[in-house]
Every structure is written in structure tokens, then in C-alpha cells.
Amino acid sequence: MLQGSIRKMPAQVIKGQVEYSLKLGDELVPLNALIGQKVALEFSGAIECIHCGKSTKKSFSQGFCYRCFTKLAACDSCIMSPEKCHYHLGTCREPQWAEKYCMQSHYVYLSNSSSLKVGITRGDQLPTRWIDQGATQGRAIFSVSNRRLSGLVETLFKEVVADKTNWRTMLKGRAPEMDLEQEQERLIGLVYEGLDSLQNEFGLQAIIDLSDQNETHTFTYPVIEYPTKVVSINAEKTPLVEGTLLGIKGQYWMLDTGVINIRKYTGYNAKFIV
């Protein structure tokens, strides 16, 4: 039995297979070997801010206290809407933080989780981003110079393809395989004028087409049985979450008693019982 503050599940890909661990405080528990076994998470009711460490009655933006939520750049609205980044206007909450995380190269990508979608992520966050979304395929299509520009490119694609994962559909099974290279070519053709306009504004090297130098990555998740009906478990209403672990995909545990989004409870104190 281990006890600590929950963090997002770390994952790595070994020969296409996603390997998960549960992170409680400083402890890591390998999870793939526990698929098919009974497990439990017992939530104590205590929550701590993942930034300042202070106790909080409610978690904001997956792990922050209200004070940090209102002050940190990592919690600003432009994190969810990168095209709204205002660093260039001189109004960023934390310019030094932005220089490290936002004013760096980003990828615009296509992935296949519940269906085809477009997304963006920092240059060092692939394939982590795809795994967190439960994608079975992923392909980077552009490299861009900063987060705001990635959001502007993504906005063009959002007119012709989804930018959200349907998590319930994602948890019901493996998405049918798609030809992401073909989809990339098709979608670029639909937004070519907008891309050309952005390159004229920001420079040719600000948006680099990866068509000829990239590949589609595929992932297999540790699942022995997918739910036919997705029933979400709320740990605040059911502090003892237990059942047979049937699989892990994205940041979700699939139990025979329901599914739970582990990342949602970042900062929550819990005991892990096998």
C-alpha cells in the first residue's frame, strides 16, 4: 500500500506498447502488470496545490489552488486557446515562464483517438501528448516557431476537422486505422490560402511543412476488455474507487466498476491498494 498526492500518470512507449505508472508523491508504481487484477484508490479528502503545496478545498485547472490559478501563466486562458497568447503584447502573467514554455517550437499534429483531430503541443511533448489523449495514431504535420503561431495554424484546421477527442468513444475501443499522410495532404489543400497568409505575416521559416520528413506513429494500450457502456466514477462522491483493472488508455483507468480520469484528481491525496 502506498499513499501520496496523485500526479498525471507517466507513460513511455516500448515497441509501440504504452507502459504506464501511477505517480503518488515521489513514488512510481508500474501498472501494466496489474491489468486483470483488483486494485483500489482510497481518497482521503485532502487536496494540495501542485505549485505551492498548500492545502486547498477545491482543485482548479487540474491541481492548483485558487490563488495560483489566478496568478500563474500556466493557468491563463491562452493555455486552452493558444491563439490568444498575449506575450507579444507585454501582458503575460509570467514572461520568464512563457519564454521557457511558449516561445519555443511547437508542433501542429493530426491524431486518431476517437476520430481524426488536429492539435498542438510543445516540441518536446511528443509522443506524450498523443498518449494522454488515448490516440492510436499520431503524425506531426507542421513545426512552428512559438505557441501562439501553433494556435493560429490550428484555428485554420479547426474549420475543417475536429480539435477535440470524444473521450467516451475513445474508451469504447480502438479507433479504425486511418491514412494520416493522406488526411494531411487533403486538409492542407483545404486551408492552403490561410497558411500562405500566415507565412507572409510571420515568415516562411516560422511554419515548416513536415510532409516529406515525418512518419505516422502507432500505439497500443494495455487493455484486456473495453467497456460497452462508459460509466464515469466521481472520486469526490465515491472516495473508495475499486474494481478489476481492465485497461488503461489516455489518462483513464477502465475498471469493471466504471472509468476514472486519474489526471482529473491531480493533487488529491489517496492510498493505492493492490
Side-chain angles (χ1 to χ4, degrees), residues 61-226:
S61 192
Q62 295 182 330
F64 297 92
C65 67
Y66 184 73
R67 179 179 174 82
C68 289
F69 171 69
T70 58
K71 290 184 175 297
L72 296 177
C75 300
D76 205 344
S77 61
C78 53
I79 296 301
M80 296 301 295
S81 303
E83 70 277 8
K84 297 178 181 178
C85 172
H86 46 96
Y87 175 90
H88 63 294
L89 299 176
T91 54
C92 180
R93 292 177 178 180
E94 297 177 277
Q96 288 186 328
W97 185 91
E99 288 168 10
K100 182 177 180 180
Y101 292 100
C102 301
M103 305 309 293
Q104 303 293 332
S105 65
H106 278 61
Y107 287 121
V108 180
Y109 64 80
L110 295 177
S111 66
N112 180 15
S113 48
S114 56
S115 60
L116 182 67
K117 72 175 288 289
V118 65
I120 66 103
T121 193
R122 202 168 65 245
D124 60 355
Q125 288 298 298
L126 292 180
T128 300
R129 182 65 172 162
W130 292 329
I131 294 169
D132 286 346
Q133 295 177 345
T136 52
Q137 295 173 279
R139 182 182 180 88
I141 57 175
F142 291 104
S143 173
V144 301
S145 57
N146 58 62
R147 183 173 177 82
R148 175 173 175 252
L149 186 52
S150 73
L152 293 172
V153 174
E154 181 188 37
T155 297
L156 294 176
F157 281 90
K158 282 160 57 174
E159 297 294 323
V160 293
V161 66
D163 67 322
K164 298 286 191 300
T165 295
N166 184 321
W167 64 273
R168 291 183 180 275
T169 301
M170 180 269 289
L171 291 176
K172 286 184 177 180
R174 185 179 178 89
E177 190 166 312
M178 307 182 74
D179 187 336
L180 294 191
E181 184 176 6
Q182 185 178 53
E183 290 296 332
Q184 171 183 341
E185 183 177 347
R186 178 180 70 85
L187 293 171
I188 288 177
L190 295 175
V191 300
Y192 181 80
E193 289 184 2
L195 289 171
D196 192 50
S197 178
L198 287 176
Q199 285 188 314
N200 287 336
E201 180 179 354
F202 292 95
L204 290 176
Q205 295 305 309
I207 305 174
I208 300 175
D209 189 335
L210 301 176
S211 299
D212 298 329
Q213 51 183 296
N214 212 351
E215 61 179 318
T216 297
H217 299 263
T218 59
F219 310 100
T220 301
Y221 294 86
V223 180
I224 57 174
E225 184 179 335
Y226 285 100

Side-chain angles (χ1 to χ4, degrees), residues 204-266:
L204 290 176
Q205 295 305 309
I207 305 174
I208 300 175
D209 189 335
L210 301 176
S211 299
D212 298 329
Q213 51 183 296
N214 212 351
E215 61 179 318
T216 297
H217 299 263
T218 59
F219 310 100
T220 301
Y221 294 86
V223 180
I224 57 174
E225 184 179 335
Y226 285 100
T228 54
K229 182 179 180 181
V230 176
V231 179
S232 182
I233 298 173
N234 185 335
E236 293 187 339
K237 295 181 178 179
T238 310
L240 180 59
V241 178
E242 58 183 343
T244 300
L245 185 60
L246 300 177
I248 309 173
K249 192 177 183 186
Q251 284 288 313
Y252 288 86
W253 284 10
M254 289 175 268
L255 304 165
D256 61 348
T257 53
V259 304
I260 180 169
N261 181 352
I262 296 298
R263 189 174 188 178
K264 178 180 177 180
Y265 298 100
T266 301

Side-chain angles (χ1 to χ4, degrees), residues 5-17:
S5 179
I6 292 176
R7 295 293 186 269
K8 188 187 85 164
M9 285 187 293
Q12 59 180 329
V13 181
I14 301 177
K15 296 181 179 180
Q17 173 75 32

